[in-house]
Amino acid sequence: SQQGEEDPQALSIQEGENATMNCSYKTSINNLQWYRQNSGRGLVHLILIRSNEREKHSGRLRVTLDTSKKSSSLLITASRAADTASYFCATDPTGAGSYQLTFGKGTKLSVIP
Amino acid sequence: GAVVSQHPSRVICKSGTSVKIECRSLDFQATTMFWYRQFPKQSLMLMATSNEGSKATYEQGVEKDKFLINHASLTLSTLTVTSAHPEDSSFYICSAYGPGLAAYNEQFFGPGTRLTVL
C-alpha cells in the first residue's frame, strides 16, 4: 500500500533555483529514502535518512526528517535542467521485516533552462 | 556495483498471449526481489515480494495465477504475465535486495519493462 504522500505533485522552476519537495507518511519507520525516476526509466536511489537522524546532505541534496510530524523534505539546490525527473520518497516501516519499501506518489520536477 | 537488469525493455504482444520478463542482479546475490507496476504518472505499486527458493508473497488484489513469479536463483527472478489483456499494459519494474550491500534497506532497481498488450 502507498502510505507516502509527496507535495507538490508537480513543480516547475527555473534553472539555478532551489526545489523543495515534501513527503508525509503514516507509520513509524526505520528509515526514509528518496529516489529519482527519469521518464520511462527505473528508479535511482538518491539518499537515505535514518529515523534517528534529522538532516542529511549529499552534494546538492539536503534531506530533513521530522519523525514527530512524520514528514520529510528533499531540497535540491542550484537546480539544473538535468534534474528534471520524478522524485519519490519511500519508507522502510518499523517491524515490517520483509525489506519492503512503501512509495509515495511522487513529485514531478521540471527545471526550465 | 549493485546493478539490476531487466529484459526485455519493451514488449508488444497480442491479447491472450503470455509474456515473461526477466530481472537479473548482475554483480550481487539478491535474496529478495520485488516486482512493481507503475501506471502513467503514478507511483509504484508493489505487486509481490519473492525470496530465492520460495513462493512469492503477493500483495492484496494481485492475482497470483495471472502474474507468475519465479525466483529460482540468487541472481534471477521472472515475472510471467499470463493471458495478457490490454488492461495489463503498464510499466513493470523489479528491484533487488542483497544482504551486506547496504547498511539499510536500500533496493536497487532495474530499468523497467514497458508492456503493451494490443
Side-chain angles (χ1 to χ4, degrees):
Chain A
S1 61
Q2 303 294 335
Q3 71 155 342
E5 294 277 345
E6 286 96 333
D7 76 88
Q9 291 187 353
L11 178 62
S12 183
I13 60 173
Q14 294 289 330
E15 200 166 31
E17 294 180 339
N18 296 340
T20 299
M21 290 159 269
N22 302 296
C23 167
S24 61
Y25 57 93
K26 296 177 182 175
T27 65
S28 59
I29 61 172
N30 293 316
N31 62 72
L32 184 144
Q33 303 173 35
W34 284 90
Y35 287 82
R36 166 197 167 121
Q37 183 182 34
N38 287 74
S39 181
R41 306 295 295 273
L43 274 71
V44 175
H45 181 266
L46 294 177
I47 195 166
L48 179 152
I49 186 166
R50 291 174 286 177
S51 60
N52 62 351
E53 296 176 315
R54 292 296 166 258
E55 187 171 314
K56 202 162 183 180
H57 297 252
S58 177
R60 293 185 295 114
L61 306 180
R62 182 173 79 95
V63 169
T64 63
L65 179 65
D66 186 335
T67 52
S68 66
K69 295 181 179 178
K70 291 186 168 58
S71 67
S72 173
S73 68
L74 170 67
L75 168 68
I76 303 175
T77 60
S79 64
R80 305 166 182 168
D83 295 328
T84 295
S86 291
Y87 292 83
F88 296 91
C89 69
T91 52
D92 175 11
T94 304
S98 61
Y99 310 117
Q100 285 186 10
L101 294 176
T102 302
F103 283 84
K105 296 181 180 179
T107 293
K108 185 176 174 65
L109 173 66
S110 298
V111 181
I112 303 166
Chain B
V3 177
V4 177
S5 69
Q6 270 184 252
H7 178 79
S9 59
R10 186 180 295 268
V11 57
I12 300 173
C13 68
K14 292 182 179 180
S15 185
T17 59
S18 294
V19 175
K20 179 185 283 188
I21 303 170
E22 292 185 348
C23 177
R24 292 182 185 273
S25 57
L26 299 185
D27 50 3
F28 67 99
Q29 294 186 327
T31 52
T32 304
M33 286 186 170
F34 304 89
W35 286 95
Y36 296 86
R37 183 174 181 175
Q38 185 179 33
F39 291 103
K41 300 181 181 180
Q42 294 191 28
S43 187
L44 282 72
M45 182 191 80
L46 179 65
M47 299 174 66
T49 302
S50 75
N51 293 297
E52 185 267 338
S54 61
K55 290 184 178 180
T57 301
Y58 290 81
E59 293 299 298
Q60 192 172 10
V62 178
E63 300 175 60
K64 58 183 66 177
D65 295 330
K66 172 79 172 172
F67 300 99
L68 300 178
I69 291 172
N70 183 278
H71 191 165
S73 78
L74 285 171
T75 59
L76 173 64
S77 176
T78 60
L79 167 67
T80 302
V81 183
T82 62
S83 187
H85 288 91
E87 58 266 28
D88 298 323
S89 298
S90 190
F91 192 57
Y92 293 88
I93 306 176
C94 73
S95 71
Y97 168 84
L101 273 182
Y104 297 92
N105 182 11
E106 177 183 340
Q107 295 180 21
F108 298 91
F109 284 81
T113 297
R114 173 75 59 195
L115 171 63
T116 303
V117 185
L118 302 176

